[in-house]
Amino acid sequence: ALRAAAAAAAAPELLGWLRALPLALVAEVGGRRVGIVHGDVESLAGWGLGVEAMSPPDAPLRAALGCGDPASQQYLPPTPRETALGWMEEAEVVGLVCTHTCLPHGQAYRDSRGGAAEWGRAVFNNGSAGMPNFEGQRFGLITRVSADLHAVPPDSLYGVAAGGLRFDALPVHYDHDGWMAQFEAVWPAGSDAHASYHARLVRGPGGFTRRHAAREGVS
């Protein structure tokens, strides 16, 4: 959408800025490394860190989203725990934060970094900052990463302390009516974007709740 908008606006400098963006970043928070990707570690548009791909698989959710049947064209192979941990260990990060897949989740992992009761790493996907993420609710989400393990934000929807950092999903409240007016002015009924996003903007993703998003170790 950004590329199309840039081309339509004849803004080559915006296209150049997009092309120059790195595929991944590493942020240092409190002396610990956190990986930042758009899709997953292997692809800008990858789905390997989507909630429907995470292990252990949420079979009812995968069935509801139509990606759980190996015979279907929409089948999405689950990402093994070992793969997610391997990505983090290879990059020497205690967490991966991502987006792209439009449904949020957080999950913690135990590894060899501490005792058996320690959460050593975490994956957090914010879903969408500019669209509703849960059925019947109208706010976006961002992922907050902090070195203060004991200061849980009052508006945290779910979170976990892992690898010496605190990961939280925080709401992004926006002007819903204003955003809908802007959306419908650019993408009216009959456009592809209207067909893809309008119902979600009004009602949120059907059937998806915080219970699906707060996965192992996260509450």
Short mmCIF file of all heavy atoms in Angstrom, two decimals, residues 174-208:
data_model
loop_
_atom_site.label_atom_id
_atom_site.label_comp_id
_atom_site.label_asym_id
_atom_site.label_seq_id
_atom_site.Cartn_x
_atom_site.Cartn_y
_atom_site.Cartn_z
N TYR A 174 -7.47 5.55 19.23
CA TYR A 174 -7.50 6.52 18.14
C TYR A 174 -8.93 6.98 17.90
O TYR A 174 -9.89 6.41 18.45
CB TYR A 174 -6.90 5.91 16.86
CG TYR A 174 -7.53 4.60 16.43
CD1 TYR A 174 -8.71 4.57 15.69
CD2 TYR A 174 -6.94 3.38 16.77
CE1 TYR A 174 -9.30 3.37 15.30
CE2 TYR A 174 -7.51 2.17 16.39
CZ TYR A 174 -8.69 2.18 15.66
OH TYR A 174 -9.26 1.00 15.28
N ASP A 175 -9.06 8.00 17.09
CA ASP A 175 -10.37 8.56 16.74
C ASP A 175 -11.03 7.63 15.73
O ASP A 175 -10.76 7.71 14.54
CB ASP A 175 -10.19 9.97 16.18
CG ASP A 175 -11.50 10.60 15.71
OD1 ASP A 175 -12.57 9.97 15.80
OD2 ASP A 175 -11.44 11.75 15.24
N HIS A 176 -11.88 6.75 16.20
CA HIS A 176 -12.47 5.73 15.32
C HIS A 176 -13.29 6.37 14.21
O HIS A 176 -13.14 6.01 13.03
CB HIS A 176 -13.35 4.78 16.13
CG HIS A 176 -14.12 3.82 15.27
ND1 HIS A 176 -13.54 2.70 14.70
CD2 HIS A 176 -15.42 3.83 14.86
CE1 HIS A 176 -14.44 2.07 13.97
NE2 HIS A 176 -15.59 2.71 14.05
N ASP A 177 -14.16 7.31 14.55
CA ASP A 177 -15.02 7.92 13.53
C ASP A 177 -14.20 8.68 12.50
O ASP A 177 -14.48 8.62 11.29
CB ASP A 177 -16.05 8.84 14.18
CG ASP A 177 -17.07 8.07 15.02
OD1 ASP A 177 -17.24 6.86 14.77
OD2 ASP A 177 -17.68 8.68 15.92
N GLY A 178 -13.18 9.40 12.97
CA GLY A 178 -12.32 10.13 12.05
C GLY A 178 -11.56 9.20 11.13
O GLY A 178 -11.42 9.46 9.93
N TRP A 179 -11.06 8.10 11.68
CA TRP A 179 -10.31 7.14 10.89
C TRP A 179 -11.22 6.47 9.86
O TRP A 179 -10.84 6.28 8.71
CB TRP A 179 -9.66 6.12 11.79
CG TRP A 179 -9.01 4.92 11.18
CD1 TRP A 179 -9.00 3.66 11.69
CD2 TRP A 179 -8.24 4.84 9.96
NE1 TRP A 179 -8.30 2.80 10.87
CE2 TRP A 179 -7.82 3.50 9.80
CE3 TRP A 179 -7.88 5.77 9.00
CZ2 TRP A 179 -7.07 3.07 8.71
CZ3 TRP A 179 -7.12 5.33 7.91
CH2 TRP A 179 -6.72 4.01 7.78
N MET A 180 -12.45 6.14 10.26
CA MET A 180 -13.37 5.51 9.31
C MET A 180 -13.72 6.45 8.16
O MET A 180 -13.82 6.03 7.01
CB MET A 180 -14.64 5.05 10.04
CG MET A 180 -14.43 3.89 11.00
SD MET A 180 -13.65 2.44 10.25
CE MET A 180 -14.82 2.03 8.95
N ALA A 181 -13.91 7.73 8.48
CA ALA A 181 -14.22 8.70 7.43
C ALA A 181 -13.06 8.81 6.45
O ALA A 181 -13.26 8.86 5.22
CB ALA A 181 -14.53 10.06 8.05
N GLN A 182 -11.84 8.82 6.97
CA GLN A 182 -10.66 8.90 6.11
C GLN A 182 -10.51 7.62 5.28
O GLN A 182 -10.22 7.67 4.07
CB GLN A 182 -9.41 9.13 6.95
CG GLN A 182 -8.14 9.33 6.14
CD GLN A 182 -6.94 9.62 7.02
OE1 GLN A 182 -7.02 9.60 8.24
NE2 GLN A 182 -5.82 9.90 6.38
N PHE A 183 -10.71 6.48 5.92
CA PHE A 183 -10.59 5.20 5.22
C PHE A 183 -11.59 5.11 4.07
O PHE A 183 -11.23 4.75 2.94
CB PHE A 183 -10.82 4.06 6.22
CG PHE A 183 -10.77 2.69 5.61
CD1 PHE A 183 -9.58 2.00 5.52
CD2 PHE A 183 -11.93 2.09 5.12
CE1 PHE A 183 -9.54 0.73 4.94
CE2 PHE A 183 -11.89 0.83 4.54
CZ PHE A 183 -10.69 0.15 4.45
N GLU A 184 -12.84 5.44 4.35
CA GLU A 184 -13.88 5.31 3.33
C GLU A 184 -13.73 6.33 2.20
O GLU A 184 -14.16 6.08 1.08
CB GLU A 184 -15.25 5.43 3.99
CG GLU A 184 -15.56 4.23 4.87
CD GLU A 184 -16.77 4.44 5.77
OE1 GLU A 184 -17.31 5.57 5.79
OE2 GLU A 184 -17.16 3.49 6.46
N ALA A 185 -13.07 7.46 2.50
CA ALA A 185 -12.83 8.44 1.44
C ALA A 185 -11.77 7.93 0.46
O ALA A 185 -11.83 8.22 -0.74
CB ALA A 185 -12.38 9.76 2.06
N VAL A 186 -10.80 7.16 0.98
CA VAL A 186 -9.73 6.65 0.12
C VAL A 186 -10.09 5.29 -0.47
O VAL A 186 -9.80 5.01 -1.64
CB VAL A 186 -8.41 6.55 0.94
CG1 VAL A 186 -7.30 5.96 0.08
CG2 VAL A 186 -8.01 7.92 1.46
N TRP A 187 -10.74 4.45 0.32
CA TRP A 187 -11.08 3.09 -0.10
C TRP A 187 -12.59 2.88 0.07
O TRP A 187 -13.04 2.30 1.06
CB TRP A 187 -10.30 2.06 0.70
CG TRP A 187 -8.83 2.11 0.43
CD1 TRP A 187 -8.20 1.83 -0.74
CD2 TRP A 187 -7.79 2.46 1.36
NE1 TRP A 187 -6.83 1.98 -0.62
CE2 TRP A 187 -6.56 2.37 0.66
CE3 TRP A 187 -7.78 2.84 2.70
CZ2 TRP A 187 -5.34 2.64 1.27
CZ3 TRP A 187 -6.58 3.11 3.31
CH2 TRP A 187 -5.37 3.02 2.59
N PRO A 188 -13.39 3.33 -0.87
CA PRO A 188 -14.85 3.19 -0.76
C PRO A 188 -15.30 1.74 -0.96
O PRO A 188 -14.51 0.87 -1.35
CB PRO A 188 -15.36 4.09 -1.89
CG PRO A 188 -14.25 4.07 -2.90
CD PRO A 188 -12.97 4.00 -2.11
N ALA A 189 -16.58 1.51 -0.69
CA ALA A 189 -17.16 0.19 -0.92
C ALA A 189 -16.89 -0.25 -2.36
O ALA A 189 -17.02 0.55 -3.30
CB ALA A 189 -18.65 0.23 -0.64
N GLY A 190 -16.49 -1.49 -2.52
CA GLY A 190 -16.15 -2.01 -3.84
C GLY A 190 -14.65 -2.11 -4.07
O GLY A 190 -14.22 -2.84 -4.96
N SER A 191 -13.85 -1.38 -3.28
CA SER A 191 -12.40 -1.46 -3.41
C SER A 191 -11.89 -2.69 -2.67
O SER A 191 -12.54 -3.23 -1.78
CB SER A 191 -11.73 -0.20 -2.85
OG SER A 191 -11.92 -0.13 -1.44
N ASP A 192 -10.70 -3.16 -3.06
CA ASP A 192 -10.12 -4.34 -2.41
C ASP A 192 -9.89 -4.10 -0.92
O ASP A 192 -10.12 -4.98 -0.09
CB ASP A 192 -8.81 -4.72 -3.09
CG ASP A 192 -9.01 -5.27 -4.49
OD1 ASP A 192 -10.15 -5.64 -4.82
OD2 ASP A 192 -8.03 -5.32 -5.26
N ALA A 193 -9.38 -2.90 -0.58
CA ALA A 193 -9.10 -2.61 0.82
C ALA A 193 -10.38 -2.59 1.65
O ALA A 193 -10.40 -3.04 2.80
CB ALA A 193 -8.36 -1.28 0.94
N HIS A 194 -11.45 -2.05 1.08
CA HIS A 194 -12.73 -2.03 1.79
C HIS A 194 -13.20 -3.46 2.07
O HIS A 194 -13.63 -3.79 3.18
CB HIS A 194 -13.78 -1.27 0.97
CG HIS A 194 -15.03 -0.95 1.72
ND1 HIS A 194 -16.00 -1.89 1.97
CD2 HIS A 194 -15.48 0.21 2.29
CE1 HIS A 194 -16.99 -1.34 2.65
NE2 HIS A 194 -16.70 -0.06 2.85
N ALA A 195 -13.09 -4.31 1.06
CA ALA A 195 -13.51 -5.71 1.24
C ALA A 195 -12.65 -6.42 2.28
O ALA A 195 -13.15 -7.26 3.04
CB ALA A 195 -13.42 -6.44 -0.10
N SER A 196 -11.37 -6.07 2.35
CA SER A 196 -10.45 -6.76 3.25
C SER A 196 -10.52 -6.26 4.69
O SER A 196 -10.37 -7.07 5.62
CB SER A 196 -9.01 -6.62 2.74
OG SER A 196 -8.85 -7.23 1.48
N TYR A 197 -10.75 -4.96 4.88
CA TYR A 197 -10.54 -4.38 6.20
C TYR A 197 -11.75 -3.71 6.84
O TYR A 197 -11.75 -3.49 8.05
CB TYR A 197 -9.39 -3.36 6.13
CG TYR A 197 -8.08 -3.95 5.73
CD1 TYR A 197 -7.46 -3.58 4.53
CD2 TYR A 197 -7.43 -4.88 6.53
CE1 TYR A 197 -6.25 -4.13 4.14
CE2 TYR A 197 -6.22 -5.43 6.16
CZ TYR A 197 -5.64 -5.05 4.98
OH TYR A 197 -4.44 -5.60 4.61
N HIS A 198 -12.76 -3.34 6.08
CA HIS A 198 -13.82 -2.52 6.64
C HIS A 198 -14.53 -3.21 7.81
O HIS A 198 -14.74 -2.60 8.87
CB HIS A 198 -14.83 -2.13 5.56
CG HIS A 198 -15.83 -1.12 6.02
ND1 HIS A 198 -17.05 -1.48 6.60
CD2 HIS A 198 -15.81 0.24 6.01
CE1 HIS A 198 -17.72 -0.39 6.92
NE2 HIS A 198 -16.99 0.66 6.57
N ALA A 199 -14.90 -4.45 7.64
CA ALA A 199 -15.61 -5.16 8.72
C ALA A 199 -14.75 -5.25 9.97
O ALA A 199 -15.25 -5.09 11.10
CB ALA A 199 -16.01 -6.55 8.25
N ARG A 200 -13.46 -5.49 9.80
CA ARG A 200 -12.58 -5.57 10.97
C ARG A 200 -12.47 -4.21 11.66
O ARG A 200 -12.45 -4.12 12.88
CB ARG A 200 -11.20 -6.06 10.56
CG ARG A 200 -10.22 -5.96 11.72
CD ARG A 200 -8.94 -6.67 11.46
NE ARG A 200 -7.99 -6.41 12.54
CZ ARG A 200 -6.89 -7.11 12.75
NH1 ARG A 200 -6.62 -8.13 11.96
NH2 ARG A 200 -6.08 -6.81 13.73
N LEU A 201 -12.37 -3.14 10.88
CA LEU A 201 -12.28 -1.81 11.48
C LEU A 201 -13.52 -1.47 12.29
O LEU A 201 -13.44 -0.79 13.32
CB LEU A 201 -12.09 -0.76 10.39
CG LEU A 201 -10.71 -0.73 9.73
CD1 LEU A 201 -10.73 0.17 8.50
CD2 LEU A 201 -9.65 -0.26 10.71
N VAL A 202 -14.67 -1.98 11.88
CA VAL A 202 -15.92 -1.69 12.58
C VAL A 202 -16.12 -2.60 13.78
O VAL A 202 -16.52 -2.15 14.86
CB VAL A 202 -17.11 -1.82 11.60
CG1 VAL A 202 -18.44 -1.68 12.35
CG2 VAL A 202 -17.01 -0.77 10.50
N ARG A 203 -15.83 -3.89 13.63
CA ARG A 203 -16.20 -4.86 14.66
C ARG A 203 -15.01 -5.61 15.28
O ARG A 203 -15.19 -6.38 16.22
CB ARG A 203 -17.16 -5.89 14.06
CG ARG A 203 -18.51 -5.31 13.66
CD ARG A 203 -19.45 -6.38 13.17
NE ARG A 203 -19.02 -6.97 11.90
CZ ARG A 203 -19.32 -6.44 10.71
NH1 ARG A 203 -20.03 -5.33 10.63
NH2 ARG A 203 -18.92 -7.02 9.60
N GLY A 204 -13.82 -5.42 14.75
CA GLY A 204 -12.70 -6.21 15.22
C GLY A 204 -12.68 -7.57 14.55
O GLY A 204 -13.65 -7.97 13.91
N PRO A 205 -11.58 -8.33 14.68
CA PRO A 205 -11.49 -9.65 14.06
C PRO A 205 -12.43 -10.63 14.75
O PRO A 205 -12.30 -10.88 15.96
CB PRO A 205 -10.02 -10.05 14.25
CG PRO A 205 -9.56 -9.23 15.42
CD PRO A 205 -10.34 -7.96 15.39
N GLY A 206 -13.37 -11.18 14.02
CA GLY A 206 -14.41 -12.02 14.60
C GLY A 206 -13.87 -13.22 15.36
O GLY A 206 -13.07 -13.99 14.83
N GLY A 207 -14.28 -13.35 16.62
CA GLY A 207 -13.92 -14.52 17.42
C GLY A 207 -12.56 -14.46 18.08
O GLY A 207 -12.23 -15.34 18.89
N PHE A 208 -11.74 -13.45 17.76
CA PHE A 208 -10.39 -13.40 18.32
C PHE A 208 -10.40 -12.55 19.60
O PHE A 208 -10.86 -11.41 19.60
CB PHE A 208 -9.40 -12.81 17.31
CG PHE A 208 -7.96 -13.00 17.71
CD1 PHE A 208 -7.32 -14.21 17.48
CD2 PHE A 208 -7.25 -11.99 18.34
CE1 PHE A 208 -6.00 -14.39 17.86
CE2 PHE A 208 -5.93 -12.16 18.71
CZ PHE A 208 -5.30 -13.37 18.47
#
